[in-house]
Amino acid sequence: MKAVVITTAGGPDVLQLQQVDDPEIRDDEVLIKVEATALNRADTLQRKGSYPPPKGASPYPGLECSGTVLAVGKDVSRWKVGDQVCALLNGGGYAEKVAVPAGHVLPIPPGVSLKDAAGLPEVACTVWSTVFMMSRLSAGETFLVHGGSSGIGTFAIQIAKDKGATVLVTAGSEEKLAFCKKLGADVCINYKTEDFVARVKEETGGKGVDVILDCIGASYLQRNLDSLNFDGRLCIIGFQGGAVTEIKLNTLLPKRLTVQGAALRPRSPENKAVVVSEVENNVWPAVAAGKVKPIIYKSFSLSEAGEAHRLMESSEHIGKILLVP
């Protein structure tokens, strides 16, 4: 088969489409013929050499895919050859075929094309596991998501609104903010021209929000804490703004704040299977009802993986970028 290989750590040009061996499936795995895979920030970090795949995972990038089942291991009962599915991956999505544990596979939600479904598993599992399973966002609460126009952000807006939360977002252009508004965001803040802490306080009557989903990290940490309500929960899923900083502990104690960190890829296979099951039970009905949709910006061929990475790192896109074999 063909797969995108990281020939050495570096820029987008190190990604090369090469002929490689087909993956072998274990007894509890399925082999998927990839229809499409979606880019994630973790892919760019892996390309740079700063986010190696877990032990035993595919060396090729790609943390989600959609496609058709080609083969099943002897211990697999739910899936059969010919099923159209999407899946959460440890890696290997930038390829024509990928092996994945059966418990990490999802059916294609009604109303979603096989290709577009490639943009759902990673964002759905990330948002549901952090915002809802960990931070327990509930109806009537307020929720701030940074990077509202990203793949994570566009999904988080939709599912949070569906679950009854008031949603605030930050983004860096009026075009992106307008798109977030169209998706249902209640308050849209341009972080380049506004102080998001002041705006959050203004919009919440001085209280702050109940939950924040943050991909920026160090440079936003204190401001995020200042933006939280009593018993507020901050969940950090990235560190685009750095990984090391100082905070004022006297911000945490009086307001009983919780700071959490989470990453999806390092979780155990068993834990991921729990998240995938939760997503199928709690998120897929909203997708099937048309209340949550994958937001696809542009598709590239596998041979154009470098160009796709350049687009992702420019941040000049809204939603997900796909690669198609």
Side-chain angles (χ1 to χ4, degrees):
M1 71 172 186
K2 291 181 179 179
V4 175
V5 176
I6 301 172
T7 55
T8 186
D13 291 339
V14 306
L15 299 174
Q16 293 185 10
L17 187 62
Q18 297 182 2
Q19 195 72 33
V20 301
D21 292 336
D22 283 7
E24 296 182 3
I25 60 169
R26 300 184 177 94
D27 291 344
D28 64 344
E29 292 183 331
V30 302
L31 182 67
I32 297 173
K33 179 184 178 182
V34 176
E35 175 75 14
T37 187
L39 273 65
N40 290 277
R41 286 282 175 181
D43 301 339
T44 65
L45 296 176
Q46 181 175 338
R47 189 201 74 224
K48 294 174 183 176
S50 58
Y51 193 47
K55 184 178 180 180
S58 170
Y60 315 122
L63 299 178
E64 57 190 331
C65 77
S66 60
T68 304
V69 175
L70 289 176
V72 299
K74 68 180 183 67
D75 294 338
V76 177
S77 58
R78 179 176 182 183
W79 309 108
K80 64 182 186 300
V81 173
D83 284 345
Q84 293 192 332
V85 297
C86 55
L88 183 68
L89 310 175
N90 260 341
Y94 290 25
E96 293 179 319
K97 302 173 186 176
V98 65
V100 56
H104 302 174
V105 178
L106 288 152
I108 303 296
V112 178
S113 71
L114 181 59
K115 177 183 172 183
D116 286 357
L120 282 174
E122 176 76 13
V123 292
C125 290
T126 296
V127 173
W128 189 260
S129 64
T130 55
V131 177
F132 295 93
M133 294 174 71
M134 291 175 61
S135 295
R136 307 176 312 283
L137 180 68
S138 59
E141 290 194 310
T142 49
F143 171 55
L144 170 63
V145 56
H146 292 297
S149 63
S150 66
I152 291 286
T154 54
F155 186 89
I157 292 167
Q158 296 178 83
I159 192 64
K161 287 299 296 181
D162 180 63
K163 301 303 180 184
T166 297
V167 179
L168 298 82
V169 303
T170 63
S173 74
E174 295 309 310
E175 177 191 7
K176 291 179 177 179
L177 292 172
F179 194 89
C180 293
K181 192 76 173 178
K182 186 178 177 181
L183 289 178
D186 299 284
V187 177
C188 300
I189 306 165
N190 189 328
Y191 67 83
K192 293 181 178 179
T193 61
E194 295 185 80
D195 176 357
F196 75 78
V197 180
R199 183 72 186 280
V200 165
K201 291 293 184 68
E202 176 187 339
E203 296 288 346
T204 59
K207 294 179 180 179
V209 294
D210 298 301
V211 175
I212 299 176
L213 183 63
D214 176 57
C215 59
I216 304 300
S219 63
Y220 270 20
L221 181 53
Q222 186 61 53
R223 283 185 283 171
N224 279 330
L225 297 177
D226 293 339
S227 300
L228 284 170
N229 192 5
F230 285 90
D231 296 311
R233 292 86 74 193
L234 167 63
C235 193
I236 302 169
I237 59 170
F239 39 85
Q240 295 177 37
V244 179
T245 189
E246 293 184 354
I247 63 169
K248 302 171 186 174
L249 290 176
N250 61 3
T251 309
L252 293 173
L253 276 61
K255 294 201 293 183
R256 304 180 299 275
L257 303 183
T258 301
V259 178
Q260 305 169 114
L264 197 55
R265 195 180 196 183
R267 293 172 183 249
S268 69
E270 295 79 12
N271 186 278
K272 285 185 182 179
V274 170
V275 172
V276 168
S277 177
E278 286 276 320
V279 164
E280 183 173 357
N281 291 332
N282 295 286
V283 177
W284 259 216
V287 178
K291 297 177 180 179
V292 178
K293 300 176 181 178
I295 306 300
I296 308 301
Y297 182 74
K298 190 173 182 179
S299 297
F300 294 85
S301 66
L302 285 181
S303 62
E304 298 172 313
E307 185 179 345
H309 271 228
R310 275 186 283 272
L311 175 59
M312 166 158 270
E313 291 179 305
S314 75
S315 296
E316 295 177 357
H317 65 285
I318 294 172
K320 302 284 280 192
I321 300 168
L322 300 184
L323 288 179
V324 180

